[in-house]
Amino acid sequence: MSRVRIPLLAVDGGGTKCLAAFVDREGRIIGTGRAGSCNHQVTGPAAAARELAEAIGKAMSETVTAASDLAKGAVSDLAKHGEWEVECAVFGLAGLDTARDRQIILQLVSGVLAELRIRAEHLIVENDGFAALLGATGGKAGVLIIAGTGSIAYGINQQGVTARAGGWGHRVGDEGSGYWIGKQMIAAVFQAADGRGEPTALSEQLLAHLGLSQLEDLYNWLYGSSYSVEKVGELSPLVSRAAAAGDAVAARILNLAAGELFQAARAVISRLGLRNQPYTLMLQGGVLQHDEQLRRLVVEQVRHFSPRVIVDTARHEPITGVIAKGLAYLDKRQQPGADDGQ
């Protein structure tokens, strides 16, 4: 049977989107594919598997297109009838928090790879945040704060000890995330209507964004079938814009969000003994990447608590850390006497 062999498959699967990439040994991306959330805790394993397969399948198609000139069309036929081999496959997936999660996710990943006829010589499956952190820092001391649909903080110290805080899901946690901010926005709108809270421009903006005409419609939406974690998470930019325009309620929500994200980071910094040590701070996730005010508030609090922190201002996508982790494995494998670790 004919085969196509590629060094690395990297997958970053978060609560909002799943991004897959085939990568060569120099770190060049050959093909990418994108799909929706593959967090099994939110969507269920079957839906997560579908999104994961869609993202990887699209990356395969793009890889075929990119290689078609060199392969003179043979790769296209191979994609339909042949087997793909990757030296290393790294999956950084949301929803990997317990031993049970690992069992579910390993079964999910193995099933998707088998469905797509991809054989991975070495498979690495990590929580999406840990994969991004370890790839981006190369094992050096660092702290990563993620605020997208959900939120969490991870860290690693000079001795290689790791820690995490937060990330307990939208039902009881994810403080400072897009979902959490959206939930605070909805609560503020109801409080303003009752007279329990200040009037806010968020009321009109929220109804307009959802295409609703009155508060009763918002209540029906909130407890109806159209409601979802992702849709509430999409409300956070409205809060950012209102805060920038001077809305006091929106500004207060952002301040609370920054405080929650700092609390998670502080817990990690303290547990790893990094408060008075130099380390790199990275901020990822759609909320922190796109909201300059929230970023600034979080960084200010971390710097005040831990003055020797070095803030990485580059806007790394999580997939870059996942790729870096895979390349590190491939480099190690090439060293004389290295064990393949299969």
Side-chain angles (χ1 to χ4, degrees):
M1 180 185 292
S2 56
R3 290 184 175 90
V4 59
R5 185 172 175 83
I6 295 175
L8 176 63
L9 166 62
V11 178
D12 168 54
T16 302
K17 67 179 185 298
C18 178
L19 180 63
F22 287 101
V23 184
D24 67 17
R25 283 189 172 272
E26 285 68 49
R28 292 186 293 260
I29 294 177
I30 306 168
T32 63
R34 186 182 299 260
S37 170
C38 60
N39 184 342
H40 76 96
Q41 294 176 349
V42 175
T43 66
R50 286 195 299 271
E51 297 299 333
L52 187 60
E54 181 179 347
I56 298 174
K58 288 179 178 177
M60 294 170 76
S61 297
E62 191 171 291
T63 299
V64 168
T65 301
S68 60
D69 291 340
L70 293 175
K72 298 180 179 179
V75 176
S76 179
D77 183 66
L78 180 60
K80 297 177 182 177
H81 307 292
E83 183 177 80
W84 289 56
E85 289 183 348
V86 292
E87 294 179 55
C88 181
V90 183
F91 289 77
L93 300 178
L96 203 172
D97 300 307
T98 67
R100 179 176 177 273
D101 288 330
R102 177 168 290 277
Q103 184 179 7
I104 293 170
I105 288 175
L106 283 174
Q107 183 176 359
L108 187 155
V109 168
S110 297
V112 168
L113 292 178
E115 174 190 340
L116 297 175
R117 304 180 71 181
I118 298 173
R119 187 174 73 86
E121 294 180 10
H122 186 77
L123 177 63
I124 300 172
V125 178
E126 300 276 5
N127 180 283
D128 57 338
F130 265 127
L133 170 68
L134 297 177
T137 64
K140 297 179 181 179
V143 172
L144 170 65
I145 308 173
I146 301 175
T149 304
S151 67
I152 199 164
Y154 297 95
I156 183 170
N157 65 14
Q158 294 88 341
Q159 291 74 42
V161 178
T162 59
R164 58 166 278 182
W168 298 114
H170 66 281
R171 292 185 180 181
V172 296
D174 283 346
E175 295 89 349
S177 68
Y179 173 79
W180 187 91
I181 291 171
K183 187 169 64 173
Q184 304 306 309
M185 176 187 187
I186 295 170
V189 167
F190 282 120
Q191 289 165 7
D194 288 345
R196 295 180 292 132
E198 297 177 45
T200 171
L202 294 174
S203 301
E204 291 183 7
Q205 293 178 18
L206 177 58
L207 292 176
H209 176 81
L210 295 174
L212 306 175
S213 58
Q214 57 185 346
L215 203 64
E216 184 175 319
D217 296 332
L218 176 60
Y219 179 85
N220 292 333
W221 176 85
L222 188 63
Y223 292 100
S225 60
S226 297
Y227 173 92
S228 70
V229 172
E230 291 76 16
K231 287 181 180 178
V232 175
E234 291 169 1
L235 301 176
S236 63
L238 302 180
V239 179
S240 301
R241 289 196 289 270
D247 187 90
V249 173
R252 186 159 57 248
I253 292 172
L254 284 191
N255 275 298
L256 289 171
E260 293 288 355
L261 294 172
F262 164 67
Q263 292 295 338
R266 183 173 71 171
V268 169
I269 294 165
S270 298
R271 285 163 56 194
L272 296 177
L274 291 175
R275 182 174 185 180
N276 297 309
Q277 302 295 322
Y279 65 91
T280 301
L281 174 70
M282 293 160 287
L283 298 99
Q284 292 183 359
V287 175
L288 281 171
Q289 294 280 19
H290 299 119
D291 192 321
E292 294 291 344
Q293 182 177 349
L294 184 61
R295 256 179 97 86
R296 176 179 54 79
L297 290 169
V298 173
V299 169
E300 285 176 355
Q301 292 182 64
V302 174
R303 278 185 169 145
H304 181 75
F305 176 73
S306 185
R308 298 187 69 185
V309 64
I310 301 162
V311 179
D312 185 349
T313 57
R315 304 239 176 143
H316 302 294
E317 290 294 331
I319 190 70
T320 61
V322 180
I323 290 171
K325 185 169 179 62
L327 292 175
Y329 166 79
L330 293 175
D331 288 343
K332 182 179 179 181
R333 187 178 182 184
Q334 282 189 312
Q335 294 174 8
D339 185 357
D340 283 353
Q342 297 180 43

